[in-house]
Amino acid sequence: MHGTPGPVTIDLNMLMRAYAIGIFPMADARDDVDVFWVEPEMRAILPLDGFRFSTSLRKAVRQDRFTVTCNRAFARVIAMCAESAQGREQTWINRTIEASFIALHRQGRAHSVECWRDGELVGGLYGVEIGRAFCGESMFSRATDASKVALAWLVAAMRKGGLTLLDCQFITPHLASMGAIEIPQGDYLELLNEAICDSPFAPPRVQRPHPVMPGLYSVSVEGVAGPGAGPGAESGLVAGFAALAGADAVGAADEPPLPVSSTGASSPGYSIAHFLTQTS
């Protein structure tokens, strides 16, 4: 008997090279089989030094209202981001995009931040790390402030890990309230090129048009996504997260973490809040 074939994925090398030139995939609906490529005229970014760490959010972080982890439940995060929600009955995350990002996560190139409460996954976000840039893809919240807390932890981990560019793709009121701004795509590409200049996916000086997609160049890079890679391999984001929250907060186990029991200056939330306050 033959097993059921797995979901189709986008060519992962091509997917990373698309991000390297400011292009990302979307679908019209969850059950749509097609994927199209997007290069918006205006791009949303969240300047790391412009993050708005409001008093109420700072309180939520310091009180450890959620146990926050990194890469503990990537597949569950992207699945919950793809669910219908009030005001968003359709999602752009189809099965192909979902499978592709899970595959990138297994290579250590896509990461998630999770918020847990009473053993339940109630918020989180995911995205792609390329060089010193993190391209945020989507976030979800099933509890008040959960996605905001996840974003605060992301910003702190990026700063600690030496990342410089947080790409939000499209502006929303939610992101704008936390400091996101819109810039022309050309300005974004300048920031992106600077952030990924040391990445193996950085555009070469001489480019050959991709045979299928003229907007993508086609150059193979040996060894950049080998089987030895894993979630968090050579990741500045994951290293920054672990430095701030402890190595126990990072892992591939798809299970609820232990509740936060430490208090005061030894709590993870206090460390994150102190770091963001000191560097804001």
Side-chain angles (χ1 to χ4, degrees), residues 16-17 20 109 129-133 161-164 190-205 217 221 224 234:
M16 291 300 296
R17 293 198 174 283
R109 304 196 180 282
E129 182 176 356
I130 177 169
R132 296 187 303 277
L163 279 71
T164 58
E190 290 184 10
L191 296 174
L192 178 65
N193 288 337
E194 182 178 351
I196 69 171
C197 62
D198 296 326
S199 167
F201 294 105
R205 294 182 182 275
Y217 51 85
V221 177
V224 298
E234 300 181 0

Side-chain angles (χ1 to χ4, degrees), residues 72-89:
R72 289 290 294 270
F74 184 91
R76 291 173 65 187
V77 168
I78 191 170
M80 294 182 79
C81 285
E83 290 179 358
S84 298
Q86 185 175 3
R88 192 197 65 191
E89 284 66 35

Side-chain angles (χ1 to χ4, degrees), residues 85-106:
Q86 185 175 3
R88 192 197 65 191
E89 284 66 35
Q90 287 290 354
T91 175
W92 56 268
I93 305 171
N94 69 357
R95 310 291 176 180
T96 298
I97 291 174
E98 182 178 15
S100 300
F101 277 88
I102 290 174
L104 280 184
H105 172 66
R106 290 172 180 157

Side-chain angles (χ1 to χ4, degrees), residues 14-266:
M14 185 179 73
L15 181 56
M16 291 300 296
R17 293 198 174 283
Y19 278 94
I21 58 172
I23 299 174
F24 54 88
M26 296 185 73
D28 282 326
R30 176 68 168 164
D31 295 325
D32 197 331
V33 297
D34 295 323
V35 171
F36 59 90
W37 298 89
V38 181
E39 185 179 20
E41 294 183 2
M42 298 295 294
R43 196 73 172 236
I45 65 168
L46 202 164
L48 299 182
D49 58 359
F51 177 67
R52 293 178 188 163
F53 197 34
S54 67
T55 301
S56 60
L57 179 57
R58 188 176 310 153
K59 185 176 180 179
V61 171
R62 289 187 62 167
Q63 290 179 344
D64 287 311
R65 293 181 188 172
F66 307 100
T67 301
V68 186
T69 59
C70 177
N71 286 342
R72 289 290 294 270
F74 184 91
R76 291 173 65 187
V77 168
I78 191 170
M80 294 182 79
C81 285
E83 290 179 358
S84 298
Q86 185 175 3
R88 192 197 65 191
E89 284 66 35
Q90 287 290 354
T91 175
W92 56 268
I93 305 171
N94 69 357
R95 310 291 176 180
T96 298
I97 291 174
E98 182 178 15
S100 300
F101 277 88
I102 290 174
L104 280 184
H105 172 66
R106 290 172 180 157
Q107 292 184 346
R109 304 196 180 282
H111 307 289
S112 58
V113 176
E114 304 95 15
C115 287
W116 309 79
R117 189 172 65 188
D118 299 328
E120 296 293 327
L121 183 60
V122 295
L125 57 83
Y126 78 95
V128 177
E129 182 176 356
I130 177 169
R132 296 187 303 277
F134 185 80
C135 303
E137 288 295 304
S138 187
M139 61 174 62
F140 78 96
S141 184
R142 300 292 185 270
T144 302
D145 290 335
S147 62
K148 291 183 178 181
V149 169
L151 187 58
W153 279 64
L154 173 68
V155 170
M158 288 182 64
R159 287 178 175 175
K160 189 70 172 179
L163 279 71
T164 58
L165 176 62
L166 176 49
D167 169 28
C168 302
Q169 297 181 348
F170 299 109
I171 197 73
T172 66
H174 178 69
L175 290 170
S177 71
M178 303 185 74
I181 60 174
E182 270 191 319
I183 60 174
Q185 177 75 352
D187 293 346
Y188 168 77
L189 290 176
E190 290 184 10
L191 296 174
L192 178 65
N193 288 337
E194 182 178 351
I196 69 171
C197 62
D198 296 326
S199 167
F201 294 105
R205 294 182 182 275
V206 178
Q207 302 178 8
R208 292 185 288 109
H210 191 277
V212 178
M213 301 175 58
L216 294 178
Y217 51 85
S218 176
V219 178
S220 63
V221 177
E222 299 295 333
V224 298
E234 300 181 0
S235 164
L237 171 67
V238 172
F241 196 100
L244 289 169
D248 290 344
V250 180
D254 188 8
E255 59 186 30
L258 294 174
V260 175
S261 58
S262 52
T263 58
S266 64

